[in-house]
Amino acid sequence: DSLSADRARRHEAAARAIAEAIAEMLTLEVEKTIGVHDDPGPVKAELVETYRRDVARIEKRARQSVERIYDHHSLERSEPVLEALAEQDLFSADSWRIFGLTRSQLAGLGALGGAAAGGALDVALGGASFLMGALIGGGLGAAGAVVGANQLVDVKVLQVSLGRRKLVAGPTKNRSFPHVVLGRARLHHALVARRAHAYRGALTIDEQAGHLLEDLAGGERRKFEREFERLRKGREVAMGTRQLGELLVPVLERDME
């Protein structure tokens, strides 16, 4: 009973850490003020790069929190797949190919947020179905994934005062993005939480994801999307974060079975 209670406590704490990271990513804004005659082009590129660095920093911090929860305070990344997941960029083609959503999944989720299906398809083109990345043709799948990652955030130009303009990057409207983050977080959690039993061989991330994780059912995915949409709009962020964590707990427990 004590061991079961301890596992449940750790799962809940990990779910909370992941939910807080996703909420921070989905509400993130980066801004800079420029003169009315300044060229916004270079500043836009700078803001997008800053945005991506901030998102990567949030993911890294969440991973460190999960590792502490499982008492891996100075985790040596000796397992090849854990090392690969740490080194693989969140915006890499492989991440979006493995953990992104299919066209049909995006179209189905688009209706939840009031977006047209065509618009949802334009946001993240052709990522592979979660856990099915190994089955997609490498060239086409990677190309679609890169498009999705590159369309992470738009930069708005706002007039703030006479002679001044403010450029704002974020929050992201990319519908596939939080699902990619969630998939990566699930795999990292599963590898850390069952580290003593994890495969130490040279398995790829595709193979480890397929071995350790189960795809979300359509209804379960829609529940996550409702909370993602709430967070994207900045509505009841605290409640959305809490409910996202509650949705995550049974998923993380199932990943451990």
Side-chain angles (χ1 to χ4, degrees):
D1 289 344
S2 178
L3 288 172
S4 296
D6 181 65
R7 281 194 296 268
R9 178 187 61 78
R10 292 176 193 261
H11 290 159
E12 290 171 4
R16 196 160 50 245
I18 295 169
E20 289 171 355
I22 294 176
E24 187 175 355
M25 291 181 190
L26 289 179
T27 56
L28 177 65
E29 290 184 331
V30 178
E31 61 183 54
K32 186 171 184 177
T33 301
I34 62 173
V36 69
H37 298 300
D38 293 340
D39 180 8
V43 180
K44 285 184 178 182
E46 176 188 334
L47 283 179
V48 170
E49 183 58 31
T50 300
Y51 187 95
R52 288 163 68 107
R53 283 200 305 268
D54 285 352
V55 165
R57 173 183 52 79
I58 294 167
E59 183 186 50
K60 180 178 180 179
R61 190 177 64 216
R63 286 184 177 179
Q64 291 170 340
S65 295
V66 169
E67 290 165 9
R68 284 194 297 269
I69 288 166
Y70 288 95
D71 297 326
H72 297 311
H73 299 281
S74 56
L75 183 63
E76 295 181 4
R77 302 180 185 282
S78 56
E79 293 85 349
V81 70
L82 188 57
E83 183 177 357
L85 184 62
E87 293 178 352
Q88 182 191 70
D89 192 88
L90 173 60
F91 310 106
S92 69
D94 278 344
S95 285
W96 288 68
R97 178 175 60 84
I98 298 167
F99 300 112
L101 301 180
T102 64
R103 291 172 179 266
S104 60
Q105 289 169 342
L106 281 166
L109 295 179
L112 294 176
L121 293 179
D122 289 339
V123 169
L125 301 176
S129 175
F130 179 41
L131 306 185
M132 296 297 287
L135 302 182
I136 195 167
L140 179 61
V146 169
V147 171
N150 287 341
Q151 293 180 346
L152 178 63
V153 66
D154 294 324
V155 180
K156 301 181 288 291
V157 181
L158 308 174
Q159 195 78 31
V160 292
S161 64
L162 186 63
R164 306 294 291 173
R165 291 183 294 176
K166 182 168 67 175
L167 279 66
V168 182
T172 181
K173 293 182 173 59
N174 189 308
R175 293 192 172 277
S176 198
F177 173 65
H179 297 275
V180 175
V181 176
L182 175 61
R184 286 168 58 87
R186 286 178 62 194
L187 179 55
H188 174 261
H189 171 267
L191 290 168
V192 170
R194 57 193 296 172
R195 184 168 181 250
H197 307 289
Y199 283 110
R200 303 299 179 95
L203 290 178
T204 66
I205 290 176
D206 297 59
E207 292 170 317
Q208 275 284 26
H211 171 71
L212 293 176
L213 309 183
E214 180 181 303
D215 198 3
L216 297 177
E220 196 170 30
R221 188 181 297 110
R222 284 190 290 274
K223 289 180 181 178
F224 275 100
E225 178 61 21
R226 287 191 183 95
E227 300 311 319
F228 293 156
E229 183 65 16
R230 185 205 302 264
L231 293 169
R232 284 190 197 98
K233 294 180 177 179
R235 297 175 180 172
E236 301 173 311
V237 172
M239 179 183 294
T241 304
R242 183 173 62 254
Q243 293 188 353
L244 183 57
E246 291 173 358
L247 285 174
L248 257 171
V249 171
V251 174
L252 297 186
E253 290 177 342
R254 192 167 68 231
D255 290 342
M256 298 300 296
E257 293 175 356

